[in-house]
Amino acid sequence: MNKLIQANFSRLFKSTFFEVCLIFSAGIGILENFTRYYEMKKFPEYYVDLGIEYKSADGFAFSNALYIVFAVAAFTAIFLGTDYSDGTIRNKLMVGSKRTEIYLSNFITCAVANVITLLTSLTVTLGLGYVLFRTTSLTAKQTAICIISQCVTMIGFSAILVLISMLIQSKASGAVTALIATMILFVSAITITADLEAPEYYEDLRPVASETDEKTYTTVQTKNPNYLTGTKRKIYETLNDILPVNQFYQIMATDTDNAGKMAMYSALIMILSSGAGVVFFRKKDLK
């Protein structure tokens, strides 16, 4: 399998699309830094009372993953789809490579490539941010936990993308399917996060009868009918820790309380997706 991995990495570092992904991920960090720097210089009165997380790159660096997931989805599908379109997979089988080795070598290559894409964005964003803002809102330990957590999540997410891409021989169909799956996970993350963060009570201002002409109001708490409770809330919280894009959302808010649990779920996703992928790929009729 070592030769398969070496061949994959040789092709990876010659891939124009991979270079585009790296430029894209670095460009996000550069754009966000200079946008925030410009806003702070132009509207200093707006930022003066805000917390330090709004005055450093830590506050937005980890949100880049929400853009990068779409880039790595397209890359994984195209990179693996090329193996089918060029007949590379058939050639690998003809020289004696096992299907399990082909699948796992492709997963390792794509996982490493996607982590490199993520780390490129984080390195550029945090590095340039420190040069521009000269401050950080996180300790070195918190930053390290967030970076490692996002990398582990990316590996789990890559396992899902490889499963999709290895089972669809058409490069175009694979890319579309991977992007649709990513969009579904993205929308699910927004929905689940919004439902979990919904307040239990709303505060309403209601007028109170007064003997004078002056209007007076009182604050009344109203129960939110959509507030999640009981088993339904536990299900949402579990999904929030399991789904990859939801994990990115949590780390984006530098919430590392569930870092260990999320890493365990990412490892489980990697094992289940890769196991299922190997089984299906071994039975797949390669045209």
Side-chain angles (χ1 to χ4, degrees), residues 24 28 34 40 47 50 63 92 124 153-155 222 274:
F24 172 75
I28 293 174
F34 280 108
M40 287 178 62
Y47 286 90
L50 296 179
S63 65
K92 290 177 180 178
V124 171
T153 299
M154 182 59 79
I155 293 172
T222 305
S274 298

Side-chain angles (χ1 to χ4, degrees), residues 96-113:
S97 298
K98 297 180 180 179
R99 292 199 180 204
T100 299
E101 293 176 339
I102 294 173
Y103 187 97
L104 294 179
S105 64
N106 285 345
F107 165 66
I108 291 171
T109 305
C110 290
V112 171

Side-chain angles (χ1 to χ4, degrees), residues 17-18 21 24 64-82 110-111 113-115 117-118 154 157-166 168 170-186 244-245 248:
F17 197 86
F18 180 58
C21 287
F24 172 75
N64 293 354
L66 300 179
Y67 305 102
I68 292 173
V69 290
F70 292 98
V72 299
F75 163 75
T76 302
I78 291 173
F79 184 79
L80 298 181
T82 301
C110 290
N114 295 342
V115 168
T117 302
L118 175 65
M154 182 59 79
F157 181 58
S158 297
I160 296 174
L161 296 175
V162 172
L163 172 62
I164 294 171
S165 303
M166 287 295 290
I168 300 177
S170 169
K171 183 162 52 177
S173 298
V176 171
T177 305
L179 288 172
I180 290 175
T182 303
M183 179 59 71
I184 291 173
L185 289 173
F186 186 84
V245 181
F248 283 129

Side-chain angles (χ1 to χ4, degrees), residues 210-240:
S210 174
E211 296 179 355
T212 64
D213 293 336
E214 183 179 353
K215 291 184 178 180
T216 58
Y217 296 87
T218 185
T219 301
V220 178
Q221 286 192 331
T222 305
K223 178 74 173 181
N224 179 5
N226 297 320
Y227 182 75
L228 299 176
T229 58
T231 302
K232 188 173 183 180
R233 186 170 190 87
K234 290 181 180 179
I235 292 173
Y236 271 58
E237 288 174 343
T238 302
L239 289 174
N240 195 43

Side-chain angles (χ1 to χ4, degrees), residues 247-259:
Q247 291 186 13
F248 283 129
Y249 253 99
Q250 290 190 53
I251 303 167
M252 176 188 74
T254 61
D255 181 1
T256 58
D257 292 342
N258 293 333

Side-chain angles (χ1 to χ4, degrees), residues 24-150:
F24 172 75
S25 63
I28 293 174
I30 295 172
L31 178 63
E32 286 186 330
N33 269 296
F34 280 108
T35 299
R36 180 62 56 87
Y37 184 77
Y38 172 77
E39 289 178 348
M40 287 178 62
K41 291 296 183 181
K42 188 175 182 179
F43 309 106
E45 68 283 355
Y46 176 76
Y47 286 90
V48 68
D49 295 325
L50 296 179
I52 191 173
E53 64 272 15
Y54 292 95
K55 304 172 186 176
S56 66
D58 303 342
F60 54 79
F62 298 102
S63 65
N64 293 354
L66 300 179
Y67 305 102
I68 292 173
V69 290
F70 292 98
V72 299
F75 163 75
T76 302
I78 291 173
F79 184 79
L80 298 181
T82 301
D83 263 5
Y84 282 115
S85 62
D86 291 352
T88 306
I89 288 184
R90 288 195 301 272
N91 293 338
K92 290 177 180 178
L93 291 172
M94 290 175 62
V95 298
S97 298
K98 297 180 180 179
R99 292 199 180 204
T100 299
E101 293 176 339
I102 294 173
Y103 187 97
L104 294 179
S105 64
N106 285 345
F107 165 66
I108 291 171
T109 305
C110 290
V112 171
N114 295 342
V115 168
I116 290 174
T117 302
L118 175 65
L119 286 176
T120 298
S121 177
L122 291 174
T123 302
V124 171
T125 306
L126 294 173
L128 179 59
Y130 186 76
V131 172
L132 291 176
F133 306 115
R134 295 293 180 179
T135 185
T136 59
S137 61
L138 301 176
T139 64
K141 181 179 179 180
Q142 289 173 319
T143 302
I145 291 175
C146 288
I147 292 174
I148 293 172
S149 295
Q150 285 209 329

